[in-house]
C-alpha cells in the first residue's frame, strides 16, 4: 500500500524554537507539497517541490522554509515558531502529471506552539 | 490566485441524495478534484474532472462545466459514514499544486 508518512502526529513546541516537520513518501512521486489546515480557512499551500533540491513558494510561505535533498523526503522548517503557526500540517505527494489520482496525503501533524 | 467557493455546511438524510456545489475562478485551469476528509484524518481522493461532463464512480458522481467555472459532487444512497468534509480543489497557476476550497461539512442524519 502506497504511503505518505509524517514523522509526528502531535507536536508541542515553544515560541522561538526551530521546528522540523518531516514527510516521506514511498511512491517515487516527483511532486511534494506542504499545506496547513485551519478551521474556517481550509487548506492553504505553504511550499511545494517538483524535483530534488527544487522548491516553490505557495500562498503563505512567510515564516517557513523547506528542504528536499532526496526525492522521497520533503521537510518543512519553522525557523522560529510562533503561536500563529499552531495548526494541522498536511504533507502530500503526486506524480508529475498530477492526473487521475491527485494527491496522496499524509496523516497530518497537529502542531501546537505555546 | 484562485477563488474556490463551496457551501460551509449541509445536512441530509440517510438513503437520500445530496449535491455539493463548487464554483471556481482560475486562470490556466487544468483539473477539478474532490476529496473526502473525515474528522481528524487526512483527505482522500474521490474524483477528478478535466473535461466537461459527468464522471460516475459507484455512489459518487462529479460534474464539471468549464465555461461556467462550476462543479458538483453528487452522493447517492447516503450512508452515515458519508458524514465528512468534502473538499473541492482546482489546479491552475501554481503549476502542479492544487488550490482548495474551505470544504463543505456534510452531516448525514438517520
Amino acid at each position: 500500500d502506497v504511503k505518505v508518512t509524517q514523522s509526528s502526529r502531535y507536536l508541542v513546541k515553544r515560541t522561538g524554537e526551530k521546528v522540523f516537520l518531516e514527510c516521506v513518501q514511498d511512491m517515487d512521486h516527483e511532486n511534494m507539497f506542504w499545506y496547513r489546515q485551519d478551521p474556517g480557512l481550509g487548506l492553504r499551500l505553504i511550499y511545494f517541490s517538483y524535483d530534488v533540491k527544487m522548491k516553490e513558494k505557495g500562498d503563505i510561505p512567510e515564516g517557513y522554509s523547506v528542504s528536499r535533498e532526496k526525492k522521497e523526503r520533503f521537510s518543512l522548517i519553522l525557523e522560529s515558531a510562533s503561536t500563529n503557526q499552531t495548526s494541522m500540517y498536511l504533507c502530500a505527494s503526486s506524480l508529475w502529471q498530477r492526473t487521475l489520482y491527485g494527491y496522496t496525503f499524509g496523516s497530518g501533524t497537529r502542531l501546537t506552539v505555546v | 490566485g484562485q477563488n474556490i467557493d463551496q457551501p460551509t455546511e449541509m445536512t441530509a438524510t440517510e438513503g437520500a441524495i445530496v449535491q455539493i456545489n463548487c464554483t471556481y475562478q482560475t486562470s490556466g485551469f487544468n483539473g477539478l478534484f474532490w476529496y473526502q476528509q473525515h474528522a481528524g484524518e487526512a483527505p482522500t481522493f474521490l474524483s477528478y474532472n478535466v473535461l466537461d461532463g459527468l464522471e460516475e464512480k459507484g455512489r459518487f458522481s462529479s460534474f464539471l462545466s468549464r465555461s461556467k467555472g462550476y462543479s458538483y459532487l453528487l452522493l447517492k444512497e447516503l450512508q452515515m459514514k458519508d458524514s465528512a468534509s468534502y473538499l473541492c480543489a482546482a489546479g491552475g497557476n501554481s503549476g502542479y499544486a492544487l488550490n482548495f476550497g474551505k470544504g463543505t461539512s456534510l452531516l448525514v442524519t438517520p
Side-chain angles (χ1 to χ4, degrees):
Chain A
D1 193 17
V2 293
K3 277 190 175 178
V4 177
T5 303
Q6 294 185 230
S7 53
S8 303
R9 190 66 195 265
Y10 298 95
L11 212 52
V12 179
K13 295 292 182 181
R14 294 193 180 277
T15 301
E17 277 192 78
K18 190 169 186 176
V19 181
F20 293 85
L21 302 183
E22 306 288 347
C23 176
V24 178
Q25 51 96 2
D26 65 359
M27 297 167 285
D28 202 34
H29 282 175
E30 290 81 6
N31 304 329
M32 296 188 75
F33 309 85
W34 276 105
Y35 288 83
R36 62 178 284 178
Q37 186 173 31
D38 301 286
L41 297 177
L43 274 82
R44 292 180 291 165
L45 180 65
I46 305 171
Y47 268 98
F48 64 102
S49 168
Y50 52 86
D51 201 354
V52 175
K53 296 192 184 295
M54 303 300 289
K55 61 184 178 183
E56 296 284 342
K57 292 181 180 179
D59 298 319
I60 52 164
E62 297 79 18
Y64 303 94
S65 62
V66 290
S67 172
R68 194 165 182 202
E69 296 297 315
K70 294 184 178 181
K71 189 176 185 180
E72 67 270 19
R73 185 181 296 270
F74 192 36
S75 302
L76 180 69
I77 304 157
L78 286 66
E79 298 290 343
S80 177
S82 63
T83 55
N84 63 12
Q85 292 178 309
T86 291
S87 185
M88 169 67 87
Y89 289 88
L90 288 165
C91 174
S93 71
S94 74
L95 289 168
W96 71 269
Q97 303 98 327
R98 197 178 46 73
T99 56
L100 296 179
Y101 304 108
Y103 289 176
T104 300
F105 281 92
S107 298
T109 296
R110 185 164 293 282
L111 173 67
T112 302
V113 182
V114 298
Chain B
Q2 300 184 47
N3 193 29
I4 301 175
D5 289 316
Q6 53 183 130
T8 303
E9 295 179 336
M10 297 183 73
T11 302
T13 306
E14 191 175 16
I17 299 173
V18 70
Q19 178 174 312
I20 303 174
N21 296 323
C22 171
T23 58
Y24 64 90
Q25 296 173 327
T26 181
S27 54
F29 173 80
N30 54 15
L32 193 292
F33 292 80
W34 284 95
Y35 286 82
Q36 181 190 60
Q37 186 178 26
H38 285 101
E41 298 182 10
T44 55
F45 170 79
L46 286 178
S47 69
Y48 169 67
N49 295 69
V50 66
L51 300 176
D52 290 351
L54 189 68
E55 295 279 344
E56 297 187 77
K57 192 186 296 184
R59 294 190 298 115
F60 293 6
S61 302
S62 56
F63 172 83
L64 176 67
S65 169
R66 288 172 296 170
S67 62
K68 296 181 179 179
Y70 168 69
S71 173
Y72 67 72
L73 180 69
L74 193 70
L75 291 75
K76 303 176 186 175
E77 302 170 14
L78 280 172
Q79 301 175 9
M80 300 298 290
K81 67 178 182 178
D82 296 330
S83 292
S85 184
Y86 291 84
L87 311 178
C88 174
N93 276 344
S94 297
Y96 304 112
L98 294 178
N99 283 283
F100 286 81
K102 295 178 182 178
T104 299
S105 179
L106 174 66
L107 176 63
V108 180
T109 59

